[in-house]
Amino acid sequence: GQQANGNWTIVKADTIPEGATVLPSVWAMKRKRRIATQEVYKWKSRLNLDGSKQQKGINFWETYAPVASWAAIRLILTMVIIKGWKMRQIDYVLAYTQADAEWTDMYMKIPKGFQIPGASPDEYLLKIEKNLYGGKQAGRVWNKHLVSRLQSIGFKQSKVDECIFYRGKTVYVLYTDDSILAGPDDKEIDQIIHDMKKANLDITVEGDLSDFLGVQIDRRADGTIHLTQPHLIDQILREVRLEGDNITTKLTPSKGSILKRHSESEPFDRHFDYRRVIGKLNYLEKSTRPDIAFQVHQCARFCAEPKKEHGNAIIWICRYLAATKDKGLIFKPTQQSFDCYVDADFSGNWDKNDASATDLDTAKSRTGFIITYAGCPIVWASKLQTLIALSTTEAEYLALSTALRDVIPLMELVKDLRKHGFDFTSTQPTIHCRVFEDNSGAIEIANVHKWRPRTKHINCQFHHFRHYVTTKQITILPIDTEDQPADIMTKMVTLMLFQKHRMFIMGW
């Protein structure tokens, strides 16, 4: 397929210019499975360029290529439910190679298994004509090519998110070579697909959205959308050797205590690949499972030198996942507005033994937040703060500032959608911040813009949202601890509170 597509031409090795780049070739083999059934529906072998041998400034310059964020994807899915829109999933055939090579004086060695009749493979090279997979700049070249083609058929690129495009009443969301068309008019979507093919974009239409980026998307008759990853959970359970029907399951994702370094404990016995499992748990958490965000981030901190306690913590998370394998996010929109629930755990990592070893992380506080639109979770996070807060008030204020760095771009995206004719009844967000006994200070600092002797050291980066407060685009409100769903992003809570907050965030 690649040779017929003109991705390269065969040339004699002794005819190439002196000093020309000759790169190795790499075979990539892959089986593609359907997420819902795990059926193998495509066997792929692709000849790639070995980009690890490229040199910056000689045969590549820039490598950055944007991809759609899960926040944007979830926001569009919420709009689909609210407006009753239609969807199509688009896939590009050998996407990268649809663009011409950025450099035409690059050559690749003949790959293993490729025979030239009557000659030795060493006598010939492949001159690269198309944008091959594996090149360092391949993603960027493909993105520039695709954006140019989309604009040529009438799409306008969002100024807020480079991977969102508008044409008529239709929104197009791009993630490298997987993409979604969403809009109210089936005929308009069909016409767009027709125009894309006329623009020499080789595409396949996968139909209505059922799985995207490893997430199973179930659009139900009651108007809700369920996002789950049961097969990724199965993979994780196999990785940690929790298989069979008699797995002891857990009701919560952790035992209850915050993980420390446990420097004096036994090393983790490595009966599973700790880093590999953390990578899969991270993807699961960021895609569909905010209920395990706090626990996964704690475990991820100790990848370099895991101890027995850290391995046990992962096993506990997996036992919880075994009990909730078919669960995920349930999108059932309510009122159209943003809500952001923010929490901080002031110096919750403190441990006198670790602190004595000058471990700065013991002094750091934890930020947790959940951003929803129309009651559907769009963004969430559980992470240590980058600066050391000197008080509970400061920890809460820093958490508020961190959360609003995600809220404000989403607000601007919704404004951009409205500008292009997509109607929203309300876009003003209300930011809810948990207030401790003395933590009204965090709300006062956000609402009353004056310098105080005890807080003047807070860098201006943490006041970036004040204009939005002044113009009343953002309202800061107190919330009772019992009603603060972001609590599960910063600490272990009782089973009753965990289930209450999980129901609020995830719908089950």
Side-chain angles (χ1 to χ4, degrees):
Q2 291 197 66
Q3 187 168 351
N5 195 43
N7 293 352
W8 53 69
T9 53
I10 301 174
V11 298
K12 280 199 165 187
D14 57 8
T15 64
I16 70 171
E18 186 177 350
T21 302
V22 179
L23 299 170
S25 55
V26 179
W27 282 108
M29 309 291 184
K30 186 176 182 181
R31 290 173 297 177
K32 294 194 74 171
R33 297 177 182 271
R34 302 196 185 279
I35 292 178
T37 62
Q38 288 297 284
E39 169 199 359
V40 177
Y41 69 96
K42 193 180 290 185
W43 299 75
K44 300 177 70 174
S45 64
R46 180 185 293 149
L47 186 60
N48 293 350
L49 189 72
D50 185 355
S52 67
K53 306 301 182 184
Q54 288 181 261
Q55 294 178 289
K56 187 170 185 179
I58 296 177
N59 43 44
F60 82 94
W61 293 92
E62 300 295 331
T63 59
Y64 170 72
V67 294
S69 66
W70 263 113
I73 294 167
R74 293 188 195 104
L75 183 63
I76 298 301
L77 287 176
T78 306
M79 289 171 54
V80 165
I81 302 173
I82 293 171
K83 303 295 183 183
W85 282 359
K86 316 296 183 185
M87 288 191 296
R88 299 280 197 290
Q89 186 173 356
I90 306 293
D91 192 18
Y92 292 88
V93 179
L94 287 172
Y96 283 16
T97 60
Q98 294 189 37
D100 291 332
E102 185 177 45
W103 295 85
T104 56
D105 58 347
M106 282 173 51
Y107 299 83
M108 186 169 68
K109 293 179 180 178
I110 299 289
K112 292 181 179 179
F114 191 89
Q115 300 295 327
I116 298 176
S120 166
D122 294 336
E123 296 177 35
Y124 289 88
L125 295 171
L126 301 180
K127 183 182 179 184
I128 297 167
E129 306 288 355
K130 293 288 188 177
N131 179 46
L132 292 191
Y133 285 87
K136 286 187 179 292
Q137 74 275 40
R140 179 180 179 84
V141 172
W142 157 245
N143 182 262
K144 289 170 67 177
H145 170 79
L146 179 58
V147 170
S148 173
R149 292 295 172 93
L150 291 174
Q151 289 173 336
S152 74
I153 60 172
F155 274 102
K156 294 180 180 178
Q157 189 175 25
S158 169
K159 293 182 179 179
V160 178
D161 190 320
E162 295 176 274
C163 291
I164 290 183
F165 300 82
Y166 312 108
R167 177 175 145 173
K169 299 175 183 178
T170 304
V171 180
Y172 179 67
V173 185
L174 172 67
Y175 192 101
T176 310
D177 59 349
D178 289 313
S179 50
I180 302 169
L181 283 166
D185 190 341
D186 258 331
K187 289 183 179 178
E188 183 175 273
I189 294 175
D190 290 338
Q191 183 61 48
I192 287 171
I193 292 169
H194 175 73
D195 291 346
M196 291 172 78
K197 291 178 178 178
K198 280 186 69 177
N200 292 324
L201 290 171
D202 191 358
I203 61 176
T204 56
V205 182
E206 304 288 342
D208 197 9
L209 196 64
S210 58
D211 58 73
F212 193 69
L213 304 178
V215 175
Q216 190 171 319
I217 300 173
D218 183 10
R219 197 170 180 183
R220 307 220 170 158
D222 61 1
T224 62
I225 290 180
H226 293 232
L227 308 178
T228 57
Q229 292 171 286
H231 299 292
L232 177 55
I233 293 175
D234 278 336
Q235 284 183 31
I236 294 169
L237 294 179
R238 285 195 296 271
E239 288 266 2
V240 300
R241 302 180 187 178
L242 284 178
E243 297 183 79
D245 299 325
N246 299 317
I247 301 172
T248 303
T249 59
K250 302 295 180 184
L251 295 175
T252 60
S254 71
K255 201 171 185 178
S257 56
I258 291 178
L259 284 177
K260 308 292 184 183
R261 289 195 178 276
H262 301 289
S263 303
E264 306 301 321
S265 296
E266 297 176 30
F268 171 58
D269 63 11
R270 302 191 182 278
H271 70 280
F272 60 83
D273 189 326
Y274 192 96
R275 284 179 183 269
R276 182 181 171 91
V277 171
I278 284 294
K280 291 184 177 183
L281 286 171
N282 267 327
Y283 189 73
L284 175 68
E285 176 261 313
K286 288 301 177 192
S287 301
T288 59
R289 296 300 296 261
D291 52 329
I292 63 171
F294 170 56
Q295 290 77 11
V296 170
H297 188 266
Q298 281 197 92
C299 292
R301 293 180 56 227
F302 305 104
C303 283
E305 195 179 350
K307 299 293 185 178
K308 179 177 68 174
E309 288 82 357
H310 306 136
N312 290 342
I314 287 183
I315 294 295
W316 192 292
I317 295 171
C318 292
R319 292 188 185 280
Y320 169 72
L321 291 174
T324 58
K325 184 170 61 176
D326 297 322
K327 303 293 186 181
L329 294 175
I330 299 174
F331 277 24
K332 188 176 182 179
T334 52
Q335 78 288 347
Q336 291 186 53
S337 66
F338 281 108
D339 290 315
C340 178
Y341 299 88
V342 187
D343 188 29
D345 181 27
F346 175 59
S347 198
N349 288 310
W350 174 255
D351 180 85
K352 64 179 182 179
N353 297 321
D354 289 341
S356 63
T358 64
D359 181 0
L360 292 178
D361 286 350
T362 63
K364 290 180 179 177
S365 303
R366 179 171 288 275
T367 289
F369 63 84
I370 301 156
I371 301 166
T372 66
Y373 181 76
C376 301
I378 304 297
V379 184
W380 55 85
S382 174
K383 53 188 175 183
L384 291 183
Q385 295 179 356
T386 55
L387 298 183
I388 295 174
L390 303 181
S391 66
T392 350
T393 296
E394 188 176 333
E396 292 283 345
Y397 187 74
L398 300 189
L400 183 63
S401 173
T402 300
L404 289 177
R405 291 175 209 172
D406 279 305
V407 170
I408 291 171
L410 284 170
M411 290 171 59
E412 295 303 317
L413 178 57
V414 171
K415 290 177 185 177
D416 195 46
L417 284 158
R418 291 188 70 182
K419 181 181 174 182
H420 286 85
F422 298 94
D423 180 46
F424 287 81
T425 57
S426 171
T427 58
Q428 178 173 322
T430 301
I431 310 304
H432 302 272
C433 182
R434 178 165 69 106
V435 181
F436 290 102
E437 179 184 351
D438 60 348
N439 229 19
S440 55
I443 296 178
E444 186 186 354
I445 293 172
N447 284 321
V448 184
H449 302 172
K450 66 179 182 179
W451 292 105
R452 302 159 179 80
R454 292 184 62 189
T455 59
K456 67 181 181 180
H457 63 283
I458 299 177
N459 192 284
C460 63
Q461 65 179 303
F462 297 110
H463 296 305
H464 64 94
F465 59 88
R466 282 184 163 184
H467 168 72
Y468 288 82
V469 176
T470 303
T471 56
K472 301 191 184 303
Q473 295 179 68
I474 289 175
T475 306
I476 313 292
L477 298 172
I479 187 171
D480 190 86
T481 303
E482 297 289 310
D483 299 322
Q484 173 57 281
D487 231 14
I488 65 172
M489 297 288 179
T490 59
K491 62 183 72 69
M492 272 304 301
V493 296
T494 64
L495 176 61
M496 184 179 71
L497 273 179
F498 176 77
Q499 291 175 338
K500 173 186 174 180
H501 295 328
R502 186 181 64 190
M503 172 62 75
F504 179 85
I505 299 166
M506 303 177 69
W508 54 277

